[in-house]
Amino acid sequence: MSRIAYVNGAYVPTAEAFVHIDDRGYQFADGVYEGVSIRHGKLIDLEPHLDRLWRSMGELQIIAPMERGPMRLVLAEVVRRNRIKDGFLYLQITRGVAPRDHPFPAETPWPAMVVTAKRLNFDASIEKALTKGVAASSQPDIRWGRCDIKSTSLLPNILAKQAAREAGGFEAVMYDKDGYVTEGSSTNIWMVDAEGTLVTRSTSDNILPGITRATVKTIAEELQIKVEERAFTLDEAKDAAEMFLTSSTSCAMPIVTLDGQRIGDGTPGPVAKRLIEAYKAFMDA
Ligand code: PMP
């Protein structure tokens, strides 16, 4: 947790950082967020994160609390004040404070903005990715029809992640009513087929357009690994040569078992390992 948080214009010690009980984020999850990884003190892929944030706000008609320039300064200041070298920055913007009523308030409130940051050990997580990977558990995707918006309304994701944890998995691999994998509860999901082609669901297909997903796709293309964007079923995934997940906190992490069934030989595969090394180089550049 941050020792210093940014809350609506002020940098305050976390213990003194509060939001209003009528904040629509608290009442209705009427807000959006971004999570950005910090490596060597630098915010990774900040511009695509800001693009996605602006898109999420636009889709929900939440006004930006500040322009992008000042926002970059606030984010950098939170990293600096917390002296974070490797970690994770969390940024949340809600529609603001208004008496509880479902429609947008007649008088548009000023949006509320909170930024925190915490330490993460990326070297340990990269080491784990290269040597161990994680177990995953399939869970039905019970979310709404706008998963492209990075909304703070995450209850279905929380339930999926919790069910996965209770089943011994690190992440939930969510699937739709036709048995096709959508994404993880907080990650994008990939497989490598028998020909070595990387496969991941298309972002036009009602999933969150992951920033790590986009960077890993570019890296794969640079490495001349073939990438196909299409839906694949759980059964196909279980028969795949490799599986892995991507997210800002996990980078690329091999999934070595799904529902207790080994993927490939049950260890991190060669394609995932190449991508992890290349993603690490990208973060270190
Ligand atoms: N899908 C979902 C549902 C997520 O919540 C996240 C992380 N916030 C991701 C994918 C991965 O996105 P990113 O690579 O931008 O962290």
Side-chain angles (χ1 to χ4, degrees):
M1 193 42 155
S2 288
R3 285 171 305 129
I4 303 292
Y6 173 89
V7 185
N8 295 325
Y11 297 94
V12 285
T14 305
E16 294 160 31
F18 295 106
V19 292
H20 198 289
I21 59 163
D22 276 336
D23 188 288
R24 288 179 62 96
Y26 176 64
Q27 297 276 358
F28 295 120
D30 185 1
V32 298
Y33 73 105
E34 278 299 324
V36 187
S37 50
I38 308 160
R39 177 73 167 167
H40 309 310
K42 193 178 71 184
L43 289 159
I44 300 296
D45 268 337
L46 178 58
E47 295 312 312
H49 278 284
L50 293 180
D51 289 343
R52 186 172 65 182
L53 176 67
W54 253 259
R55 180 178 180 277
S56 296
M57 289 190 292
E59 292 298 306
L60 299 179
Q61 298 172 52
I62 292 175
I63 55 168
M66 60 182 73
E67 302 283 337
R68 276 172 81 131
M71 191 173 292
R72 283 188 202 102
L73 295 179
V74 169
L75 304 186
E77 189 61 12
V78 171
V79 174
R80 191 188 72 78
R81 288 194 188 217
N82 288 288
R83 298 199 182 90
I84 303 223
K85 294 281 171 268
D86 281 14
F88 185 68
L89 178 129
Y90 179 77
L91 157 64
Q92 177 176 303
I93 294 170
T94 70
R95 197 178 305 278
V97 174
R100 190 178 186 281
D101 195 14
H102 285 64
F104 297 170
E107 227 174 279
T108 305
W110 194 252
M113 174 169 155
V114 169
V115 186
T116 58
K118 65 176 181 183
R119 290 198 163 78
L120 274 186
N121 188 341
F122 280 118
D123 292 316
S125 108
I126 288 163
E127 179 60 20
K128 182 178 174 187
L130 291 170
T131 56
K132 281 201 175 107
V134 294
S137 157
S138 65
Q139 300 292 334
D141 191 339
I142 59 166
R143 296 175 302 164
W144 69 325
R146 289 305 306 274
C147 297
D148 57 311
I149 300 172
K150 199 162 170 60
S151 150
T152 57
S153 176
L154 288 171
L155 208 39
N157 307 59
I158 288 167
L159 295 177
K161 182 88 88 185
Q162 180 61 23
R165 291 287 164 95
E166 286 171 13
F170 168 78
E171 174 60 306
V173 172
M174 300 195 290
Y175 57 91
D176 65 18
K177 59 180 186 351
D178 300 316
Y180 286 94
V181 170
T182 52
E183 60 186 323
S185 65
S186 60
T187 59
N188 291 111
I189 304 290
W190 305 65
M191 62 164 229
V192 181
D193 73 11
E195 280 77 50
T197 302
L198 264 178
V199 187
T200 195
R201 200 173 166 113
S202 156
T203 53
S204 61
D205 218 2
N206 196 24
I207 58 167
L208 187 82
I211 304 303
T212 320
R213 176 193 177 284
T215 299
V216 165
K217 180 170 175 261
T218 305
I219 288 173
E221 285 161 354
E222 281 166 11
L223 294 174
Q224 310 208 319
I225 299 169
K226 199 172 154 217
V227 183
E228 227 177 274
E229 290 185 83
R230 65 166 174 88
F232 55 89
T233 63
L234 268 182
D235 287 340
E236 228 184 313
K238 285 180 183 171
D239 280 341
E242 300 180 33
M243 276 185 85
F244 62 91
L245 55 83
T246 53
S247 77
S248 300
T249 37
S250 297
C251 307
M253 178 63 78
I255 294 174
V256 292
T257 64
L258 179 55
D259 297 335
Q261 199 174 314
R262 275 188 192 183
I263 306 301
D265 68 359
T267 64
V271 178
K273 280 166 122 170
R274 272 180 86 194
L275 291 169
I276 293 158
E277 299 279 13
Y279 190 80
K280 178 178 184 296
F282 159 78
M283 287 208 299
D284 288 345

